[in-house]
Amino acid sequence: MDPVADHLSNNIRQLRETRGLTQQQMAKISGVPRPTWANLESGAANPTLAVLIKVATALQVSLEELISPPRTSSKFYPAASLPVRQRGKVTVRRLLPEAIAGLEVERVVLPPGASMTGIPHTPGTREYLTCERGEVELSESGRLWRLEAGDVVVFRGDQSHGYRNPGREQAIAYSVIALAPVSG
């Protein structure tokens, strides 16, 4: 199939489905016969410019949007494509492949006995640490928290803090860091 015709059929179907409308409803709104609409979505049609204008108007998009490559609503990221860093024996992997302003989400793997010193963030930052497996000790602001699977500690991420695995098995924790905006 011609790529432009393929884009056209995929875009028309996706735009109609996104609006929660049937082919019959779109045919009525656009003034394009229902069999023609079905052919447009299947890629079997070779529409005239007049038909494309009616379709674009009914879907409230430009002609360019009808024939351009479809916008994807999802994207797969293999684990190996996500940024990983080693901090001593501790492995820290980002869980979000795309940046979300002011938010970091990381998976922290601590072998038995391993520890890592956290880096204080901008003033006003909140950090959420949850233990998925094993045991994790969190030290922050002179306090010591011992987390087991399912436990969560919320603390000020702008203070000195550190993580340690006191157990005999590997520990896995998730850190969600809500960064405070940098003033200036």
Side-chain angles (χ1 to χ4, degrees):
M1 182 185 278
D2 174 32
V4 173
D6 191 33
H7 296 330
L8 177 67
S9 65
N10 288 332
N11 286 337
I12 289 174
R13 184 180 55 259
Q14 185 179 41
L15 288 164
R16 176 186 59 78
E17 289 173 351
T18 299
R19 287 157 177 73
L21 298 170
T22 66
Q23 289 182 350
Q24 184 64 42
Q25 290 169 319
M26 286 308 305
K28 185 175 181 180
I29 293 168
S30 66
V32 173
R34 160 77 182 81
T36 303
W37 195 279
N39 286 336
L40 286 167
E41 287 191 15
S42 71
N46 187 10
T48 64
L49 184 56
V51 168
L52 288 178
I53 290 171
K54 287 180 180 182
V55 169
T57 302
L59 291 169
Q60 300 176 338
V61 297
S62 67
L63 285 173
E64 293 80 15
E65 191 168 342
L66 285 181
I67 61 174
S68 65
R71 295 180 182 161
T72 60
S73 58
S74 60
K75 184 175 178 185
F76 174 74
Y77 294 89
S81 72
L82 298 170
V84 176
R85 67 184 190 278
Q86 285 295 133
R87 303 258 323 265
K89 294 180 182 177
V90 178
T91 303
V92 179
R93 180 169 58 98
R94 285 238 164 123
L95 290 181
L96 302 177
E98 300 167 346
I100 295 176
L103 190 65
E104 293 178 10
V105 183
E106 300 175 325
R107 180 177 189 259
V108 182
V109 179
L110 299 113
S115 63
M116 177 179 79
T117 301
I119 299 167
H121 303 283
T122 55
T125 294
R126 302 286 293 164
E127 194 161 336
Y128 304 79
L129 182 71
T130 185
C131 180
E132 177 67 24
R133 183 173 63 185
E135 301 173 68
V136 177
E137 281 184 354
L138 168 67
S139 60
E140 57 86 26
S141 304
R143 293 175 131 166
L144 186 65
W145 301 95
R146 188 180 190 110
L147 291 83
E148 296 177 351
D151 294 339
V152 178
V153 174
V154 181
F155 64 99
R156 289 181 53 185
D158 57 3
Q159 305 296 311
S160 296
H161 57 280
Y163 315 90
R164 187 174 85 83
N165 177 355
R168 295 184 182 194
E169 66 178 73
Q170 177 177 323
I172 297 176
Y174 295 92
S175 171
V176 177
I177 304 162
L179 298 164
V182 179
S183 58

